[in-house]
Amino acid sequence: MIHIACNIDHQFIQHCAVTLVSLFINNPGQVFCVHIVAGSLPQEDQDLLTKLAAPYGHTVRFYFPPADLLKNYSIKKFGQRISMATYYRCMFPSILPETVDKVLYLDCDIVIRGDISAFWNTDLEGYGVACIEDIGSQEKERYELLHYDPADSYFNAGVLLINLRYWRETHVDRQCETYFLTYPERIRFNDQDLLNVVLHAHKKFVPLTWNMQDGFYRTGIRERVNDWKAFREELLNPVILHYTNKKPWNYDSMHPLRAEYFVYLDKTPWKGWRPSHSVKTRIKRFFKLLPYALKWRKPKYINLDKAVG
């Protein structure tokens, strides 16, 4: 049994469906139990996800923590783009069943493109989490704000293989809450900052293929890479593709692997939906992309077809 956890609200039900379908399709033979944590979720959304998993032989469980569980938290950045549900990650020890010792947390702006068993089987003995370095890990300001050694680096919290037994033994949930109450001015990236503060010395980094973030496809990444040929192969073939910035469902997304999202969307009840269906949206996309097509503006993303050698 592989345990998966997602934090969502109604606005992300479509994208959660895409993440889960991509996981199920590309991991035949595995048995998944998906734990959906939400402040609230309409019954029709619960039924949709349950019915989505059933043909593949998987189960979905829902958790609706009490409203006051997050009373000491607040969103520090991104306005309405991020909901309070993001802090449920910090509170997993008190939300998920004690019989679950390990869980793979996934954001729902993700597409799974291959077998995750090697990641799931990562040895977590002595570690709180297995994770992937964040694209912003070289920003010195993060460590100055959070007051820990940059040598420990900084991970992205959108994909986390969590050692729940360790989290319970060390009271990670309590540590996060205490830090937020004590140093709210230090927090910029919400629960991601908190988890880095608490776990920076108790994490295991794994390869980028398990969380290939948007920023790794951006123009300028080549200057940060020693072996470009090998890195390009990772960009072309990530197992977990994470749309961390502009989302593929945004009409103006230019991500080179944007189409991957729609491959799996078409295997959900939203089959055929596209952000550019309306004439108005197509016109907006045309004018948004025109300066890049005419080379009036520098490309935001590298061209994977030409980025050879």
Side-chain angles (χ1 to χ4, degrees):
M1 175 76 72
I2 295 179
H3 292 277
I4 305 293
C6 300
N7 297 347
I8 64 169
D9 55 24
H10 172 69
Q11 294 182 358
F12 253 71
I13 191 71
Q14 170 184 317
H15 315 309
C16 182
V18 171
T19 296
L20 294 182
V21 164
S22 69
L23 173 70
F24 300 156
I25 289 175
N26 289 306
N27 288 269
Q30 301 290 356
V31 179
F32 294 105
C33 180
V34 180
H35 305 268
I36 300 293
V37 182
S40 64
L41 208 59
Q43 187 61 50
E44 54 265 36
D45 288 350
Q46 298 178 51
D47 294 343
L48 186 150
L49 293 180
T50 300
K51 291 176 182 177
L52 198 69
Y56 299 96
H58 308 306
T59 56
V60 182
R61 297 177 182 174
F62 298 92
Y63 305 81
F64 304 104
D68 65 353
L69 187 66
L70 303 180
K71 65 182 178 182
N72 291 321
Y73 292 110
S74 61
I75 297 297
K76 291 291 186 175
K77 197 176 180 182
F78 306 110
Q80 296 182 350
R81 176 178 159 187
I82 293 180
S83 75
M84 284 291 292
T86 189
Y87 286 107
Y88 286 137
R89 270 181 291 202
C90 298
M91 312 305 285
F92 277 172
S94 60
I95 296 174
L96 299 181
E98 290 192 7
T99 53
V100 179
D101 288 335
K102 180 171 68 170
V103 67
L104 176 57
Y105 171 80
L106 297 173
D107 273 352
C108 287
D109 52 357
I110 278 174
V111 165
I112 310 294
R113 304 175 69 250
D115 184 355
I116 66 163
S117 58
F119 185 23
W120 174 255
N121 292 322
T122 300
D123 182 7
L124 289 177
E125 186 65 34
Y127 295 97
V129 67
C131 50
I132 295 79
E133 203 165 31
D134 189 79
I135 185 65
S137 62
Q138 295 183 1
E139 298 173 6
K140 293 181 180 180
E141 184 184 5
R142 299 196 183 199
Y143 309 101
E144 293 170 355
L145 278 171
L146 299 175
H147 292 253
Y148 73 83
D149 192 338
D152 286 338
S153 195
Y154 182 95
F155 59 83
N156 180 274
V159 178
L160 299 173
L161 183 61
I162 297 171
N163 183 345
L164 276 174
R165 181 180 297 174
Y166 177 96
W167 282 37
R168 293 188 181 108
E169 291 172 352
T170 60
H171 307 289
V172 166
D173 50 353
R174 215 179 302 160
Q175 289 187 64
C176 287
E177 192 169 27
T178 299
Y179 192 93
F180 190 93
L181 286 170
T182 308
Y183 306 109
E185 74 283 356
R186 296 182 183 180
I187 304 302
R188 292 175 60 212
F189 296 99
N190 304 300
D191 60 307
Q192 181 168 274
D193 277 355
L194 291 173
L195 291 171
N196 270 277
V197 167
V198 172
L199 297 169
H200 66 87
H202 307 283
K203 67 181 181 304
K204 175 184 280 191
F205 275 137
V206 293
L208 292 178
T209 191
W210 303 120
N211 183 359
M212 190 60 77
Q213 301 149 53
D214 176 285
F216 293 116
Y217 293 91
R218 295 281 181 145
T219 302
I221 190 64
R222 193 161 183 164
E223 285 71 29
R224 294 175 52 173
V225 176
N226 293 323
D227 185 347
W228 175 251
K229 185 176 181 180
F231 187 73
R232 178 178 176 271
E233 285 303 309
E234 288 185 293
L235 291 176
L236 286 168
N237 300 293
V239 177
I240 299 181
L241 178 60
H242 191 183
Y243 301 103
T244 44
N245 293 310
K246 186 68 71 173
K247 310 303 181 186
W249 56 86
N250 296 144
Y251 79 91
D252 55 347
S253 169
M254 292 181 273
H255 194 293
L257 297 184
R258 179 190 190 220
E260 292 285 303
Y261 173 85
F262 298 104
V263 169
Y264 298 100
L265 179 74
D266 286 345
K267 301 180 187 301
T268 75
W270 289 271
K271 178 180 180 179
W273 179 88
R274 296 296 183 272
S276 57
H277 268 174
S278 72
V279 173
K280 180 181 178 181
T281 305
R282 288 199 295 270
I283 292 172
K284 287 173 65 177
R285 179 172 173 81
F286 173 80
F287 282 107
K288 180 80 172 185
L289 272 56
L290 183 61
Y292 298 98
L294 296 176
K295 299 183 179 180
W296 294 344
R297 298 189 67 178
K298 184 179 179 180
K300 287 188 177 182
Y301 294 89
I302 58 176
N303 187 324
L304 291 176
D305 293 327
K306 295 181 180 179
V308 181

